[in-house]
């Protein structure tokens, strides 16, 4: 049996095992490949990965908070990993650990059919790990990338690195003018539900993102990387306003599909993976 896992902390909520195991079953590979979730606290990450290699695992997906550490412990890195400084896919080979970042390609693959990122005016909200991957992917695909973040200095640093433009957040109570943008990517953690905490007041997430509902209209494409058991406020408002929404689950499917290709070397059954991930709430 070739074993795979998603490694994170916490990780019990991950939908990746359901998605990959459904793909293996659909391709008749369930007797050869399996995928599980493994919780590793940050101080145990390097030793834990070494232990998985010794136990014969073929590779892992890496999620919060280990993506940077995964980049650092790899013996070989894809161009995306080298540029982004974070990895979400590790492959264990005889030559060592190879690191890939399929969050970047996954975002591009999730864009609507017919949407050409070349020359597309794109606003990326956030300057953390997933914003780095999104901005790098979009810039590499020829988009014009603008970055805005709560901590403006982080947006400025990321924009300078990528040859993108940084803009300040509009003042509290005001919103971005999205009229000149083709694509909006929420790569902040705004919209992420906190287990046990009451949901935010209606309008609070849009306010935090400096977005106004009447700007989330056709033909804008909105990618919200955040997902949970319920649609985020940004996702729900984008749909009701008429913008084209790509939600975080679709991006998760696409990054998973790219990881699957790397490990298994076969074309993954995307529709099976999509159904498995949407059913595993
Ligand atoms: P991260 O590195 O911790 O970055 C978080 C970002 O959110 C920072 O830019 C931070 O701004 C901003 N932020 C946090 N709270 C905010 C608030 N109240 N108002 C405005 N901005 C706020 O996180 P990450 O790894 O990039 O992940 C971000 C989100 O993307 C998470 O929800 C994650 O689950 C999701 N994600 C989804 C996928 C997928 O496949 N769908 C893949 C990767 C990540 P400051 O710099 O000011 O702190």
């Amino acid at each position: 049996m070739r074993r795979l896992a998603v490694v994170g902390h916490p990780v019990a909520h991950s939908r990746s095992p359901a998605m990959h195991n459904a793909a293996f079953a659909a391709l008749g590979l369930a007797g050869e490949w399996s995928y599980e979730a493994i919780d590793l606290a940050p101080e145990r990450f390097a030793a834990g990965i070494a232990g998985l290699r010794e136990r014969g695992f073929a590779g892992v997906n890496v999620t919060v908070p280990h993506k940077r550490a995964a980049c650092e412990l790899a013996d070989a890195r894809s161009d995306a990993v080298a540029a982004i400084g974070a990895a979400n896919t590790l492959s264990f080979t005889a030559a060592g650990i190879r690191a890939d970042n399929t969050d970047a390609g996954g975002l591009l693959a999730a864009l609507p059919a017919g949407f050409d990122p070349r020359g597309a005016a794109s606003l990326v909200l956030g300057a953390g790990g997933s914003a780095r991957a999104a901005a790098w992917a979009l810039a590499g695909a020829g988009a014009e990338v603008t970055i805005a973040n709560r901590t403006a200095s982080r947006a400025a640093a990321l924009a300078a690195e990528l040859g993108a433009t940084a803009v300040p957040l509009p003042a509290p109570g005001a919103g971005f003018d999205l009229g000149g943008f083709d694509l909006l990517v929420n790569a902040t953690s705004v919209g992420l539900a906190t287990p046990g905490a009451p949901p935010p007041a209606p309008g609070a997430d849009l306010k935090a993102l400096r977005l106004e509902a009447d700007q989330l209209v056709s033909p804008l494409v909105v990618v919200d990387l955040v997902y949970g058991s319920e649609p985020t406020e940004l996702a729900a408002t984008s749909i009701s306003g008429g913008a084209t929404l790509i939600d975080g689950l679709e991006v998760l499917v696409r990054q998973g599909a790219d990881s699957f290709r790397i490990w298994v070397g076969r074309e993954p059954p995307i529709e099976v993976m999509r159904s498995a991930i949407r059913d595993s709430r």
Side-chain angles (χ1 to χ4, degrees):
M1 178 68 81
R2 308 213 64 201
R3 293 172 75 183
L4 298 164
V6 55
V7 173
H9 184 69
V11 78
H13 65 282
S14 174
R15 303 182 195 205
S16 291
M19 171 172 70
H20 283 283
N21 286 322
F24 294 138
L27 295 181
L29 296 174
E32 290 167 53
W33 290 88
S34 71
Y35 189 111
E36 60 207 90
I38 296 176
D39 196 306
L40 279 182
E43 63 277 11
R44 288 260 314 122
F45 181 69
I49 293 294
L52 294 178
R53 287 186 75 191
E54 278 163 24
R55 286 161 59 194
F57 274 69
V60 291
N61 276 134
V62 176
T63 186
V64 177
H66 301 310
K67 290 184 182 182
R68 191 167 282 274
C71 165
E72 282 161 11
L73 65 67
D75 301 300
R77 299 171 184 83
S78 67
D79 289 348
V81 171
I84 296 163
N88 76 330
T89 305
L90 297 179
S91 307
F92 305 148
T93 71
I97 299 177
R98 149 106 190 164
D100 288 277
N101 188 314
T102 67
D103 288 331
L107 170 77
L108 296 179
L111 292 174
F115 181 91
D116 186 351
R118 263 174 308 174
S122 311
L123 177 61
V124 175
L125 303 180
S130 57
R132 284 184 75 83
W136 180 83
L138 289 168
E144 288 166 27
V145 179
T146 301
I147 302 169
N149 187 49
R150 178 177 62 177
T151 306
S153 57
R154 295 186 76 198
L158 180 55
E161 214 180 294
L162 295 175
T165 305
V167 294
L169 288 189
F176 284 103
D177 177 359
L178 298 178
F181 288 103
D182 305 302
L183 176 67
L184 170 72
V185 179
N186 176 32
T188 75
S189 39
V190 174
L192 193 61
T194 311
D205 285 351
L206 289 186
K207 212 168 163 185
L209 293 169
R210 305 289 198 275
L211 294 173
E212 289 171 342
D214 63 4
Q215 297 274 318
L216 301 171
V217 294
S218 177
L220 183 69
V221 173
V222 176
V223 178
D224 191 357
L225 291 180
V226 179
Y227 60 87
S229 53
E230 300 297 329
T232 62
E233 182 168 66
L234 173 57
T237 313
S238 298
I239 290 171
S240 60
T244 300
L245 174 78
I246 303 298
D247 69 7
L249 291 177
E250 182 61 18
V251 179
L252 191 66
V253 168
R254 298 299 184 152
Q255 63 77 31
D258 279 354
S259 296
F260 188 102
R261 288 185 186 96
I262 289 168
W263 294 317
V264 182
R266 299 255 312 250
E267 189 52 27
I270 300 271
E271 197 47 56
V272 168
M273 295 171 85
R274 188 179 286 130
S275 300
I277 221 153
R278 292 197 184 271
D279 293 346
S280 67
R281 328 189 141 210

